[in-house]
Amino acid sequence: MQPPFHRLEEFVELNAEDLEFVKAWGTTCRRIERNRAIRREGDPVEGVFFLMSGWVGSSIMLRGGKRQIVKIHLQGDMLGFPSLSLAAAGETLEALTQVDICPIPNRALANLIEKRPRIATGLLLSSQKERVALMHKISWIGSASATERLTAFLLDLYDRLEAADLVDDHGFEHPLTQQHIGDLLGLTAVHVNRTLKELEVLGYIIRDKRRIRFTDLKALRMVAPNFPPKYAGRDAWLRLAGEKANSTDAR
Amino acid sequence: MQPPFHRLEEFVELNAEDLEFVKAWGTTCRRIERNRAIRREGDPVEGVFFLMSGWVGSSIMLRGGKRQIVKIHLQGDMLGFPSLSLAAAGETLEALTQVDICPIPNRALANLIEKRPRIATGLLLSSQKERVALMHKISWIGSASATERLTAFLLDLYDRLEAADLVDDHGFEHPLTQQHIGDLLGLTAVHVNRTLKELEVLGYIIRDKRRIRFTDLKALRMVAPNFPPKYAGRDAWLRLAGEKANSTDAR
DNA sequence: CGGTCCGTTGAGAGTGATCAACGTTAGTGG
DNA sequence: CCACTAACGTTGATCACTCTCAACGGACCG
């Protein structure tokens, strides 16, 4: 089975050496059980993680015991990157399913930036993509109804799962409780329940245990507050590096 | 007057060559008048901008004519970085005051990544800092009251203005209408007005035209939903590159 | 002097939170 | 295999915060 490098190769074309480099990450993977923390807020930042498989939630604790889940990470994502700018980890990374993660220590990252500029560029652009995603999330958390937030979230998840080839028959299995979804969207679990039911009554989705099937994607995309932006693709690297990219590409 | 490089030097120590490189940006600055767009959503992404002086708002348009202001940029910020990952600009950059911006074309950025790894690292870490800021913003937009959101915003602005040395007598001048603040926080201008008045009645702030003075910072920080995180500082680069940084540092 | 933008204040309406109860599912140990 | 338990999902009633609509005053500008 191919490791999930689709995110790394989204913006840059990796050559043989690059691939060898990232494949080395896979040699030190760790398995973490469901509901265990990978890293807690305040822990020292020893590096980042590459998520090989499973679902991970990244959350921030608020006063009063509330938590805000900032992002659901899927396989192929880099975890803990934002905390590189902090003196101590600023987010709690929690395994929502059994997961396999590969720690990438700071030293290895530094080595990467120096030796493999194309991977570094890919990471830089991926970070910008994450910023765009956060910006959009702010835009619909800030001024959208519960129904709109929920559809935006579901569609985002759908698109990302599709990119990771985890969508089956217009639906997917997920490990999220309604409390999780509430913490993601800034809603209470009770209201998430009502809103999910509303979408089901409208005939847009069908729920069965922890499986969601999308029965009217078109209608859902009409409900959502903003359509997903179009990402740059591989030519972003071309735009950045000009003709350089072509001449150094091994394949 | 020294150009505002405080953000560039936050995570890395720039040597003489690095400084020469970034100072070159200043030679192609453009002046933009108040209320004019620097770049609109959908425009081609020809590069990023370094903000020499003035206030810039970065916003996303939503359906129904609503706009979400995602971030207020101050001098020393890099503008338009997230759009590097997009096929077309994903945010509108609007001058809130008269501003001076220095365009940095994609070609120059590529050159920078290749030739000046320390600046590149600084930009990468700055991007992560922005991600942290966005994550925090999500956390208080998602589940905080209007009062909490407003105080969080005011304090964030205060801290950033202080870093740019623009705070005077615990207060500052700003160009924002209450509509702007509403679009930032996901509130209506009417409610922003009531909430500002509430903070004034409580004795936490004093307003006079477009000037805000903070009369009880301690109380305000108690109201805000989360304290600002502690950033890594210059040793972040050390953490990344190990002893390498010391040996190559010119000063 | 008129016009426009911005700030201020009031009254009423609606969305989502809160509190509470109950049903259902899954996991545990006997 | 069953009893027990805790976590999760569902539904109802009430309440509070914020939106909406509306009117008016002040500041700035042509």
Side-chain angles (χ1 to χ4, degrees), chain A residues 63, chain B residues 140-141 144-160 172 181 185 187 191-192 194-200 202-205 212 214 216-228:
Chain A
R63 285 193 328 216
Chain B
W140 42 263
I141 283 198
S145 69
T147 313
E148 291 170 319
R149 295 188 209 186
L150 189 59
T151 56
F153 164 66
L154 290 176
L155 288 170
D156 175 60
L157 201 52
Y158 183 90
D159 291 339
R160 289 170 55 213
F172 55 81
I181 301 176
L185 304 181
L187 299 172
H191 204 63
V192 168
R194 291 190 224 276
T195 312
L196 275 171
K197 189 184 171 189
E198 181 197 329
L199 290 180
E200 196 166 29
L202 285 169
Y204 296 168
I205 61 172
I212 297 187
F214 293 71
D216 196 342
L217 271 170
K218 198 169 284 182
L220 277 173
R221 294 205 192 272
M222 292 299 293
V223 172
N226 47 20
F227 288 45

Side-chain angles (χ1 to χ4, degrees), chain A residues 63 85 110 128 222 224 232 240 244, chain B residues 63 85 110 114 222 224 232 240:
Chain A
R63 285 193 328 216
S85 66
Q128 305 315 323
M222 294 298 293
L240 273 171
K244 192 83 200 309
Chain B
R63 285 193 327 216
S85 65
E114 204 175 343
M222 292 299 293
L240 274 171

Side-chain angles (χ1 to χ4, degrees), chain B residues 34-234:
Chain B
R34 184 163 191 264
N35 290 333
R36 306 205 77 88
I38 298 169
R39 189 174 70 186
R40 288 183 198 285
E41 228 170 314
D43 283 354
V45 181
E46 282 153 5
V48 298
F49 305 94
F50 180 76
L51 181 53
M52 281 298 253
S53 71
W55 294 49
V56 170
S58 162
S59 55
I60 293 179
M61 276 310 190
L62 301 181
R63 285 193 327 216
K66 284 187 182 175
R67 92 180 148 181
Q68 173 73 44
I69 301 183
V70 175
K71 167 125 189 165
I72 298 292
H73 290 283
L74 304 176
Q75 55 179 246
D77 286 358
M78 299 288 309
L79 309 182
F81 235 87
S83 292
L84 283 180
S85 65
L86 299 179
E91 55 193 340
T92 297
L93 298 171
E94 189 189 355
L96 300 174
T97 63
Q98 176 180 282
V99 302
D100 291 309
I101 52 163
C102 316
I104 305 174
N106 293 323
R107 195 58 53 96
L109 256 186
N111 188 28
L112 181 155
I113 292 175
E114 204 175 343
K115 303 276 178 53
R116 308 247 59 93
R118 264 208 302 278
I119 307 178
T121 305
L123 291 176
L124 182 64
L125 290 176
S126 266
S127 293
Q128 306 315 323
K129 182 176 175 179
E130 292 301 327
R131 280 176 73 179
V132 171
L134 288 171
M135 285 162 56
H136 274 98
K137 184 159 181 179
I138 284 177
S139 79
W140 42 263
I141 283 198
S143 55
S145 69
T147 313
E148 291 170 319
R149 295 188 209 186
L150 189 59
T151 56
F153 164 66
L154 290 176
L155 288 170
D156 175 60
L157 201 52
Y158 183 90
D159 291 339
R160 289 170 55 213
L161 283 162
E162 196 167 44
D165 208 21
L166 293 174
V167 167
D168 168 42
D169 188 27
H170 297 280
F172 55 81
E173 203 81 26
H174 70 86
L176 306 172
T177 67
Q178 294 179 351
Q179 182 67 52
H180 282 132
I181 301 176
D183 289 347
L184 260 160
L185 304 181
L187 299 172
T188 57
V190 172
H191 204 63
V192 168
N193 183 291
R194 291 190 224 276
T195 312
L196 275 171
K197 189 184 171 189
E198 181 197 329
L199 290 180
E200 196 166 29
V201 168
L202 285 169
Y204 296 168
I205 61 172
I206 297 176
R207 290 177 297 160
D208 181 30
K209 314 259 180 180
R210 292 283 170 84
R211 186 178 164 78
I212 297 187
R213 237 170 62 83
F214 293 71
T215 45
D216 196 342
L217 271 170
K218 198 169 284 182
L220 277 173
R221 294 205 192 272
M222 292 299 293
V223 172
N226 47 20
F227 288 45
K230 196 167 160 239
Y231 294 103
R234 294 244 174 109

Side-chain angles (χ1 to χ4, degrees), chain A residues 156-183:
Chain A
D156 175 60
L157 200 52
Y158 184 89
D159 291 338
R160 290 170 54 214
L161 283 162
E162 196 166 42
D165 207 22
L166 294 173
V167 168
D168 168 41
D169 188 26
H170 297 279
F172 54 81
E173 203 81 28
H174 70 86
L176 306 172
T177 67
Q178 295 180 349
Q179 182 67 52
H180 282 133
I181 300 176
D183 289 346

Side-chain angles (χ1 to χ4, degrees), chain B residues 1-6 9 19 22-23 50 52 75 164 251:
Chain B
M1 181 191 106
Q2 189 73 358
F5 291 144
H6 58 284
E9 299 185 284
L19 280 171
V22 298
K23 273 179 185 158
F50 180 76
M52 281 298 253
Q75 55 179 246
R251 31 180 193 186

